[in-house]
PDB file of all heavy atoms in Angstrom:
ATOM      1  N   GLU A  11     -35.150  -8.228 168.553  1.00 95.00           N
ATOM      2  CA  GLU A  11     -34.733  -9.510 167.968  1.00 95.00           C
ATOM      3  C   GLU A  11     -33.255  -9.689 168.278  1.00 95.00           C
ATOM      4  O   GLU A  11     -32.495  -8.717 168.298  1.00 95.00           O
ATOM      5  CB  GLU A  11     -34.948  -9.513 166.453  1.00 95.00           C
ATOM      6  CG  GLU A  11     -36.396  -9.376 166.037  1.00 95.00           C
ATOM      7  CD  GLU A  11     -36.571  -9.385 164.528  1.00 95.00           C
ATOM      8  OE1 GLU A  11     -35.782 -10.033 163.813  1.00 95.00           O
ATOM      9  OE2 GLU A  11     -37.524  -8.727 164.054  1.00 95.00           O
ATOM     10  N   TRP A  13     -29.658 -12.338 167.634  1.00 95.00           N
ATOM     11  CA  TRP A  13     -28.994 -13.424 166.919  1.00 95.00           C
ATOM     12  C   TRP A  13     -27.610 -13.638 167.499  1.00 95.00           C
ATOM     13  O   TRP A  13     -26.948 -12.703 167.939  1.00 95.00           O
ATOM     14  CB  TRP A  13     -28.804 -13.088 165.432  1.00 95.00           C
ATOM     15  CG  TRP A  13     -30.059 -12.871 164.676  1.00 95.00           C
ATOM     16  CD1 TRP A  13     -30.783 -13.801 163.994  1.00 95.00           C
ATOM     17  CD2 TRP A  13     -30.741 -11.626 164.489  1.00 95.00           C
ATOM     18  NE1 TRP A  13     -31.874 -13.205 163.399  1.00 95.00           N
ATOM     19  CE2 TRP A  13     -31.864 -11.870 163.698  1.00 95.00           C
ATOM     20  CE3 TRP A  13     -30.495 -10.315 164.928  1.00 95.00           C
ATOM     21  CZ2 TRP A  13     -32.753 -10.876 163.322  1.00 95.00           C
ATOM     22  CZ3 TRP A  13     -31.381  -9.320 164.561  1.00 95.00           C
ATOM     23  CH2 TRP A  13     -32.496  -9.610 163.771  1.00 95.00           C
ATOM     24  N   MET A  14     -27.166 -14.874 167.447  1.00 95.00           N
ATOM     25  CA  MET A  14     -25.799 -15.220 167.820  1.00 95.00           C
ATOM     26  C   MET A  14     -24.919 -15.007 166.589  1.00 95.00           C
ATOM     27  O   MET A  14     -25.302 -15.366 165.477  1.00 95.00           O
ATOM     28  CB  MET A  14     -25.729 -16.685 168.268  1.00 95.00           C
ATOM     29  CG  MET A  14     -24.380 -17.124 168.760  1.00 95.00           C
ATOM     30  SD  MET A  14     -23.898 -16.365 170.313  1.00 95.00           S
ATOM     31  CE  MET A  14     -25.132 -16.982 171.421  1.00 95.00           C
ATOM     32  N   ILE A  15     -23.754 -14.416 166.784  1.00 95.00           N
ATOM     33  CA  ILE A  15     -22.773 -14.286 165.712  1.00 95.00           C
ATOM     34  C   ILE A  15     -21.861 -15.503 165.794  1.00 95.00           C
ATOM     35  O   ILE A  15     -21.308 -15.791 166.860  1.00 95.00           O
ATOM     36  CB  ILE A  15     -21.944 -12.989 165.858  1.00 95.00           C
ATOM     37  CG1 ILE A  15     -22.858 -11.761 165.820  1.00 95.00           C
ATOM     38  CG2 ILE A  15     -20.875 -12.916 164.766  1.00 95.00           C
ATOM     39  CD1 ILE A  15     -22.154 -10.466 166.213  1.00 95.00           C
ATOM     40  N   GLU A  16     -21.712 -16.202 164.689  1.00 94.00           N
ATOM     41  CA  GLU A  16     -20.840 -17.376 164.648  1.00 94.00           C
ATOM     42  C   GLU A  16     -19.686 -17.142 163.683  1.00 94.00           C
ATOM     43  O   GLU A  16     -19.846 -16.502 162.641  1.00 94.00           O
ATOM     44  CB  GLU A  16     -21.611 -18.618 164.212  1.00 94.00           C
ATOM     45  CG  GLU A  16     -22.635 -19.073 165.224  1.00 94.00           C
ATOM     46  CD  GLU A  16     -23.308 -20.370 164.827  1.00 94.00           C
ATOM     47  OE1 GLU A  16     -23.109 -20.847 163.684  1.00 94.00           O
ATOM     48  OE2 GLU A  16     -24.051 -20.904 165.656  1.00 94.00           O
ATOM     49  N   VAL A  25     -25.805  -9.977 168.110  1.00 96.00           N
ATOM     50  CA  VAL A  25     -26.323  -8.792 167.426  1.00 96.00           C
ATOM     51  C   VAL A  25     -27.804  -8.695 167.757  1.00 96.00           C
ATOM     52  O   VAL A  25     -28.472  -9.716 167.920  1.00 96.00           O
ATOM     53  CB  VAL A  25     -26.072  -8.849 165.899  1.00 96.00           C
ATOM     54  CG1 VAL A  25     -26.742 -10.043 165.266  1.00 96.00           C
ATOM     55  CG2 VAL A  25     -26.512  -7.568 165.216  1.00 96.00           C
ATOM     56  N   ASN A  26     -28.277  -7.461 167.915  1.00 96.00           N
ATOM     57  CA  ASN A  26     -29.692  -7.315 168.229  1.00 96.00           C
ATOM     58  C   ASN A  26     -30.300  -6.072 167.602  1.00 96.00           C
ATOM     59  O   ASN A  26     -29.608  -5.113 167.281  1.00 96.00           O
ATOM     60  CB  ASN A  26     -29.927  -7.287 169.736  1.00 96.00           C
ATOM     61  CG  ASN A  26     -29.569  -5.954 170.348  1.00 96.00           C
ATOM     62  OD1 ASN A  26     -28.419  -5.543 170.319  1.00 96.00           O
ATOM     63  ND2 ASN A  26     -30.548  -5.277 170.893  1.00 96.00           N
ATOM     64  N   LEU A  27     -31.602  -6.160 167.413  1.00 97.00           N
ATOM     65  CA  LEU A  27     -32.430  -5.016 167.087  1.00 97.00           C
ATOM     66  C   LEU A  27     -33.253  -4.728 168.334  1.00 97.00           C
ATOM     67  O   LEU A  27     -33.723  -5.662 168.992  1.00 97.00           O
ATOM     68  CB  LEU A  27     -33.375  -5.311 165.921  1.00 97.00           C
ATOM     69  CG  LEU A  27     -32.743  -5.680 164.593  1.00 97.00           C
ATOM     70  CD1 LEU A  27     -33.834  -5.981 163.562  1.00 97.00           C
ATOM     71  CD2 LEU A  27     -31.819  -4.590 164.093  1.00 97.00           C
ATOM     72  N   THR A  37     -35.705   1.242 163.980  1.00 98.00           N
ATOM     73  CA  THR A  37     -35.200   0.371 165.029  1.00 98.00           C
ATOM     74  C   THR A  37     -33.791   0.808 165.417  1.00 98.00           C
ATOM     75  O   THR A  37     -33.101   1.483 164.650  1.00 98.00           O
ATOM     76  CB  THR A  37     -35.195  -1.116 164.588  1.00 98.00           C
ATOM     77  OG1 THR A  37     -34.873  -1.939 165.709  1.00 98.00           O
ATOM     78  CG2 THR A  37     -34.203  -1.386 163.471  1.00 98.00           C
ATOM     79  N   TRP A  39     -29.977  -0.740 166.738  1.00 95.00           N
ATOM     80  CA  TRP A  39     -29.263  -2.002 166.631  1.00 95.00           C
ATOM     81  C   TRP A  39     -27.913  -1.896 167.319  1.00 95.00           C
ATOM     82  O   TRP A  39     -27.391  -0.795 167.543  1.00 95.00           O
ATOM     83  CB  TRP A  39     -29.114  -2.438 165.181  1.00 95.00           C
ATOM     84  CG  TRP A  39     -27.920  -1.891 164.455  1.00 95.00           C
ATOM     85  CD1 TRP A  39     -27.745  -0.611 164.000  1.00 95.00           C
ATOM     86  CD2 TRP A  39     -26.741  -2.605 164.092  1.00 95.00           C
ATOM     87  NE1 TRP A  39     -26.539  -0.489 163.374  1.00 95.00           N
ATOM     88  CE2 TRP A  39     -25.896  -1.703 163.419  1.00 95.00           C
ATOM     89  CE3 TRP A  39     -26.315  -3.918 164.266  1.00 95.00           C
ATOM     90  CZ2 TRP A  39     -24.645  -2.071 162.927  1.00 95.00           C
ATOM     91  CZ3 TRP A  39     -25.075  -4.277 163.769  1.00 95.00           C
ATOM     92  CH2 TRP A  39     -24.267  -3.373 163.102  1.00 95.00           C
ATOM     93  N   ALA A  40     -27.360  -3.041 167.677  1.00 93.00           N
ATOM     94  CA  ALA A  40     -26.034  -3.104 168.294  1.00 93.00           C
ATOM     95  C   ALA A  40     -25.466  -4.503 168.075  1.00 93.00           C
ATOM     96  O   ALA A  40     -26.203  -5.449 167.820  1.00 93.00           O
ATOM     97  CB  ALA A  40     -26.120  -2.803 169.779  1.00 93.00           C
ATOM     98  N   PHE A  41     -24.147  -4.584 168.159  1.00 91.00           N
ATOM     99  CA  PHE A  41     -23.516  -5.910 168.152  1.00 91.00           C
ATOM    100  C   PHE A  41     -22.316  -5.890 169.077  1.00 91.00           C
ATOM    101  O   PHE A  41     -21.771  -4.841 169.399  1.00 91.00           O
ATOM    102  CB  PHE A  41     -23.137  -6.370 166.745  1.00 91.00           C
ATOM    103  CG  PHE A  41     -21.885  -5.750 166.179  1.00 91.00           C
ATOM    104  CD1 PHE A  41     -20.667  -6.406 166.269  1.00 91.00           C
ATOM    105  CD2 PHE A  41     -21.922  -4.522 165.539  1.00 91.00           C
ATOM    106  CE1 PHE A  41     -19.512  -5.851 165.742  1.00 91.00           C
ATOM    107  CE2 PHE A  41     -20.785  -3.961 164.996  1.00 91.00           C
ATOM    108  CZ  PHE A  41     -19.571  -4.626 165.101  1.00 91.00           C
ATOM    109  N   GLY A  52     -12.983  -8.146 160.286  1.00 86.00           N
ATOM    110  CA  GLY A  52     -14.012  -7.966 159.267  1.00 86.00           C
ATOM    111  C   GLY A  52     -15.369  -8.547 159.619  1.00 86.00           C
ATOM    112  O   GLY A  52     -16.309  -8.443 158.835  1.00 86.00           O
ATOM    113  N   ILE A  53     -15.480  -9.155 160.788  1.00 89.00           N
ATOM    114  CA  ILE A  53     -16.753  -9.755 161.185  1.00 89.00           C
ATOM    115  C   ILE A  53     -17.809  -8.671 161.383  1.00 89.00           C
ATOM    116  O   ILE A  53     -18.949  -8.807 160.939  1.00 89.00           O
ATOM    117  CB  ILE A  53     -16.579 -10.611 162.452  1.00 89.00           C
ATOM    118  CG1 ILE A  53     -15.655 -11.797 162.143  1.00 89.00           C
ATOM    119  CG2 ILE A  53     -17.930 -11.086 162.992  1.00 89.00           C
ATOM    120  CD1 ILE A  53     -15.214 -12.581 163.354  1.00 89.00           C
ATOM    121  N   GLY A  54     -17.439  -7.575 162.028  1.00 85.00           N
ATOM    122  CA  GLY A  54     -18.380  -6.480 162.256  1.00 85.00           C
ATOM    123  C   GLY A  54     -18.929  -5.921 160.964  1.00 85.00           C
ATOM    124  O   GLY A  54     -20.119  -5.604 160.856  1.00 85.00           O
ATOM    125  N   SER A  55     -18.083  -5.795 159.972  1.00 88.00           N
ATOM    126  CA  SER A  55     -18.511  -5.297 158.665  1.00 88.00           C
ATOM    127  C   SER A  55     -19.548  -6.226 158.039  1.00 88.00           C
ATOM    128  O   SER A  55     -20.557  -5.772 157.483  1.00 88.00           O
ATOM    129  CB  SER A  55     -17.299  -5.157 157.753  1.00 88.00           C
ATOM    130  OG  SER A  55     -17.685  -4.730 156.483  1.00 88.00           O
ATOM    131  N   LYS A  56     -19.322  -7.520 158.154  1.00 93.00           N
ATOM    132  CA  LYS A  56     -20.276  -8.493 157.600  1.00 93.00           C
ATOM    133  C   LYS A  56     -21.590  -8.475 158.380  1.00 93.00           C
ATOM    134  O   LYS A  56     -22.668  -8.578 157.782  1.00 93.00           O
ATOM    135  CB  LYS A  56     -19.667  -9.890 157.607  1.00 93.00           C
ATOM    136  CG  LYS A  56     -18.561 -10.020 156.583  1.00 93.00           C
ATOM    137  CD  LYS A  56     -17.944 -11.388 156.593  1.00 93.00           C
ATOM    138  CE  LYS A  56     -16.827 -11.407 155.544  1.00 93.00           C
ATOM    139  NZ  LYS A  56     -16.071 -12.618 155.557  1.00 93.00           N
ATOM    140  N   VAL A  57     -21.499  -8.324 159.691  1.00 93.00           N
ATOM    141  CA  VAL A  57     -22.702  -8.239 160.521  1.00 93.00           C
ATOM    142  C   VAL A  57     -23.504  -6.996 160.138  1.00 93.00           C
ATOM    143  O   VAL A  57     -24.715  -7.058 159.951  1.00 93.00           O
ATOM    144  CB  VAL A  57     -22.342  -8.234 162.020  1.00 93.00           C
ATOM    145  CG1 VAL A  57     -23.541  -7.858 162.877  1.00 93.00           C
ATOM    146  CG2 VAL A  57     -21.786  -9.584 162.444  1.00 93.00           C
ATOM    147  N   GLU A  58     -22.811  -5.869 160.002  1.00 92.00           N
ATOM    148  CA  GLU A  58     -23.502  -4.632 159.650  1.00 92.00           C
ATOM    149  C   GLU A  58     -24.185  -4.743 158.283  1.00 92.00           C
ATOM    150  O   GLU A  58     -25.337  -4.338 158.121  1.00 92.00           O
ATOM    151  CB  GLU A  58     -22.550  -3.446 159.653  1.00 92.00           C
ATOM    152  CG  GLU A  58     -23.253  -2.152 159.352  1.00 92.00           C
ATOM    153  CD  GLU A  58     -22.427  -0.920 159.633  1.00 92.00           C
ATOM    154  OE1 GLU A  58     -21.410  -1.003 160.339  1.00 92.00           O
ATOM    155  OE2 GLU A  58     -22.824   0.146 159.128  1.00 92.00           O
ATOM    156  N   THR A  59     -23.505  -5.296 157.313  1.00 94.00           N
ATOM    157  CA  THR A  59     -24.092  -5.470 155.987  1.00 94.00           C
ATOM    158  C   THR A  59     -25.346  -6.343 156.059  1.00 94.00           C
ATOM    159  O   THR A  59     -26.370  -6.025 155.441  1.00 94.00           O
ATOM    160  CB  THR A  59     -23.063  -6.088 155.022  1.00 94.00           C
ATOM    161  OG1 THR A  59     -21.953  -5.192 154.913  1.00 94.00           O
ATOM    162  CG2 THR A  59     -23.651  -6.342 153.648  1.00 94.00           C
ATOM    163  N   ALA A  60     -25.279  -7.421 156.821  1.00 96.00           N
ATOM    164  CA  ALA A  60     -26.431  -8.320 156.953  1.00 96.00           C
ATOM    165  C   ALA A  60     -27.602  -7.632 157.652  1.00 96.00           C
ATOM    166  O   ALA A  60     -28.760  -7.780 157.233  1.00 96.00           O
ATOM    167  CB  ALA A  60     -26.032  -9.582 157.713  1.00 96.00           C
ATOM    168  N   ILE A  61     -27.324  -6.848 158.696  1.00 96.00           N
ATOM    169  CA  ILE A  61     -28.386  -6.141 159.418  1.00 96.00           C
ATOM    170  C   ILE A  61     -29.034  -5.085 158.530  1.00 96.00           C
ATOM    171  O   ILE A  61     -30.261  -4.941 158.505  1.00 96.00           O
ATOM    172  CB  ILE A  61     -27.837  -5.525 160.723  1.00 96.00           C
ATOM    173  CG1 ILE A  61     -27.652  -6.613 161.780  1.00 96.00           C
ATOM    174  CG2 ILE A  61     -28.748  -4.414 161.254  1.00 96.00           C
ATOM    175  CD1 ILE A  61     -28.934  -7.279 162.256  1.00 96.00           C
ATOM    176  N   ILE A  62     -28.225  -4.332 157.795  1.00 95.00           N
ATOM    177  CA  ILE A  62     -28.779  -3.318 156.886  1.00 95.00           C
ATOM    178  C   ILE A  62     -29.716  -3.973 155.881  1.00 95.00           C
ATOM    179  O   ILE A  62     -30.833  -3.494 155.641  1.00 95.00           O
ATOM    180  CB  ILE A  62     -27.645  -2.539 156.191  1.00 95.00           C
ATOM    181  CG1 ILE A  62     -26.961  -1.614 157.203  1.00 95.00           C
ATOM    182  CG2 ILE A  62     -28.161  -1.764 154.984  1.00 95.00           C
ATOM    183  CD1 ILE A  62     -25.676  -0.982 156.702  1.00 95.00           C
ATOM    184  N   HIS A  63     -29.285  -5.066 155.290  1.00 97.00           N
ATOM    185  CA  HIS A  63     -30.135  -5.780 154.330  1.00 97.00           C
ATOM    186  C   HIS A  63     -31.424  -6.251 155.004  1.00 97.00           C
ATOM    187  O   HIS A  63     -32.522  -6.069 154.461  1.00 97.00           O
ATOM    188  CB  HIS A  63     -29.374  -6.959 153.726  1.00 97.00           C
ATOM    189  CG  HIS A  63     -30.219  -7.796 152.824  1.00 97.00           C
ATOM    190  ND1 HIS A  63     -30.594  -7.396 151.554  1.00 97.00           N
ATOM    191  CD2 HIS A  63     -30.800  -9.007 153.027  1.00 97.00           C
ATOM    192  CE1 HIS A  63     -31.353  -8.333 151.020  1.00 97.00           C
ATOM    193  NE2 HIS A  63     -31.501  -9.318 151.893  1.00 97.00           N
ATOM    194  N   TYR A  64     -31.308  -6.863 156.157  1.00 98.00           N
ATOM    195  CA  TYR A  64     -32.470  -7.393 156.861  1.00 98.00           C
ATOM    196  C   TYR A  64     -33.461  -6.286 157.228  1.00 98.00           C
ATOM    197  O   TYR A  64     -34.662  -6.410 156.970  1.00 98.00           O
ATOM    198  CB  TYR A  64     -32.019  -8.138 158.119  1.00 98.00           C
ATOM    199  CG  TYR A  64     -33.149  -8.684 158.942  1.00 98.00           C
ATOM    200  CD1 TYR A  64     -33.878  -9.791 158.516  1.00 98.00           C
ATOM    201  CD2 TYR A  64     -33.492  -8.094 160.154  1.00 98.00           C
ATOM    202  CE1 TYR A  64     -34.923 -10.287 159.276  1.00 98.00           C
ATOM    203  CE2 TYR A  64     -34.534  -8.590 160.919  1.00 98.00           C
ATOM    204  CZ  TYR A  64     -35.250  -9.684 160.471  1.00 98.00           C
ATOM    205  OH  TYR A  64     -36.290 -10.174 161.225  1.00 98.00           O
ATOM    206  N   VAL A  65     -32.959  -5.206 157.808  1.00 98.00           N
ATOM    207  CA  VAL A  65     -33.834  -4.130 158.280  1.00 98.00           C
ATOM    208  C   VAL A  65     -34.577  -3.447 157.128  1.00 98.00           C
ATOM    209  O   VAL A  65     -35.783  -3.217 157.206  1.00 98.00           O
ATOM    210  CB  VAL A  65     -33.038  -3.100 159.110  1.00 98.00           C
ATOM    211  CG1 VAL A  65     -33.816  -1.806 159.318  1.00 98.00           C
ATOM    212  CG2 VAL A  65     -32.649  -3.706 160.455  1.00 98.00           C
ATOM    213  N   PHE A  66     -33.849  -3.134 156.058  1.00 98.00           N
ATOM    214  CA  PHE A  66     -34.478  -2.383 154.975  1.00 98.00           C
ATOM    215  C   PHE A  66     -35.184  -3.270 153.949  1.00 98.00           C
ATOM    216  O   PHE A  66     -36.269  -2.925 153.479  1.00 98.00           O
ATOM    217  CB  PHE A  66     -33.454  -1.475 154.294  1.00 98.00           C
ATOM    218  CG  PHE A  66     -32.911  -0.414 155.227  1.00 98.00           C
ATOM    219  CD1 PHE A  66     -31.556  -0.320 155.463  1.00 98.00           C
ATOM    220  CD2 PHE A  66     -33.755   0.471 155.858  1.00 98.00           C
ATOM    221  CE1 PHE A  66     -31.057   0.652 156.329  1.00 98.00           C
ATOM    222  CE2 PHE A  66     -33.272   1.445 156.724  1.00 98.00           C
ATOM    223  CZ  PHE A  66     -31.919   1.534 156.955  1.00 98.00           C
ATOM    224  N   SER A  67     -34.619  -4.416 153.634  1.00 97.00           N
ATOM    225  CA  SER A  67     -35.207  -5.276 152.594  1.00 97.00           C
ATOM    226  C   SER A  67     -36.228  -6.264 153.128  1.00 97.00           C
ATOM    227  O   SER A  67     -37.233  -6.535 152.480  1.00 97.00           O
ATOM    228  CB  SER A  67     -34.106  -6.036 151.853  1.00 97.00           C
ATOM    229  OG  SER A  67     -33.265  -5.139 151.189  1.00 97.00           O
ATOM    230  N   LYS A  68     -35.974  -6.825 154.286  1.00 96.00           N
ATOM    231  CA  LYS A  68     -36.867  -7.851 154.823  1.00 96.00           C
ATOM    232  C   LYS A  68     -37.942  -7.278 155.747  1.00 96.00           C
ATOM    233  O   LYS A  68     -39.099  -7.654 155.658  1.00 96.00           O
ATOM    234  CB  LYS A  68     -36.073  -8.923 155.580  1.00 96.00           C
ATOM    235  CG  LYS A  68     -35.016  -9.614 154.756  1.00 96.00           C
ATOM    236  CD  LYS A  68     -35.626 -10.514 153.728  1.00 96.00           C
ATOM    237  CE  LYS A  68     -34.521 -11.244 152.978  1.00 96.00           C
ATOM    238  NZ  LYS A  68     -35.055 -12.070 151.928  1.00 96.00           N
ATOM    239  N   LYS A  69     -37.547  -6.385 156.655  1.00 96.00           N
ATOM    240  CA  LYS A  69     -38.512  -5.818 157.598  1.00 96.00           C
ATOM    241  C   LYS A  69     -39.229  -4.593 157.043  1.00 96.00           C
ATOM    242  O   LYS A  69     -40.267  -4.201 157.564  1.00 96.00           O
ATOM    243  CB  LYS A  69     -37.836  -5.464 158.925  1.00 96.00           C
ATOM    244  CG  LYS A  69     -37.419  -6.707 159.709  1.00 96.00           C
ATOM    245  CD  LYS A  69     -37.122  -6.430 161.133  1.00 96.00           C
ATOM    246  CE  LYS A  69     -38.309  -6.153 161.999  1.00 96.00           C
ATOM    247  NZ  LYS A  69     -39.228  -7.256 162.265  1.00 96.00           N
ATOM    248  N   GLY A  70     -38.673  -3.963 156.010  1.00 97.00           N
ATOM    249  CA  GLY A  70     -39.312  -2.813 155.399  1.00 97.00           C
ATOM    250  C   GLY A  70     -39.284  -1.550 156.239  1.00 97.00           C
ATOM    251  O   GLY A  70     -40.134  -0.677 156.081  1.00 97.00           O
ATOM    252  N   LEU A  74     -32.491   3.067 160.672  1.00 96.00           N
ATOM    253  CA  LEU A  74     -31.690   2.169 161.499  1.00 96.00           C
ATOM    254  C   LEU A  74     -30.742   3.031 162.320  1.00 96.00           C
ATOM    255  O   LEU A  74     -29.951   3.798 161.760  1.00 96.00           O
ATOM    256  CB  LEU A  74     -30.902   1.209 160.610  1.00 96.00           C
ATOM    257  CG  LEU A  74     -29.971   0.213 161.278  1.00 96.00           C
ATOM    258  CD1 LEU A  74     -30.754  -0.737 162.176  1.00 96.00           C
ATOM    259  CD2 LEU A  74     -29.207  -0.573 160.222  1.00 96.00           C
ATOM    260  N   LEU A  88     -16.143   1.715 160.416  1.00 67.00           N
ATOM    261  CA  LEU A  88     -17.133   1.082 159.559  1.00 67.00           C
ATOM    262  C   LEU A  88     -17.985   2.117 158.836  1.00 67.00           C
ATOM    263  O   LEU A  88     -18.550   1.846 157.789  1.00 67.00           O
ATOM    264  CB  LEU A  88     -18.079   0.181 160.366  1.00 67.00           C
ATOM    265  CG  LEU A  88     -17.539  -1.137 160.898  1.00 67.00           C
ATOM    266  CD1 LEU A  88     -18.553  -1.792 161.809  1.00 67.00           C
ATOM    267  CD2 LEU A  88     -17.183  -2.066 159.747  1.00 67.00           C
TER     268      LEU A  88
END
Side-chain angles (χ1 to χ4, degrees):
E11 297 180 31
W13 298 269
M14 184 68 63
I15 300 169
E16 292 185 351
V25 60
N26 77 297
L27 299 178
T37 188
W39 87 286
F41 78 96
I53 295 170
S55 178
K56 289 179 181 174
V57 168
E58 182 167 344
T59 299
I61 284 295
I62 288 170
H63 175 74
Y64 178 73
V65 166
F66 296 123
S67 297
K68 302 289 183 183
K69 290 196 73 68
L74 178 62
L88 287 173

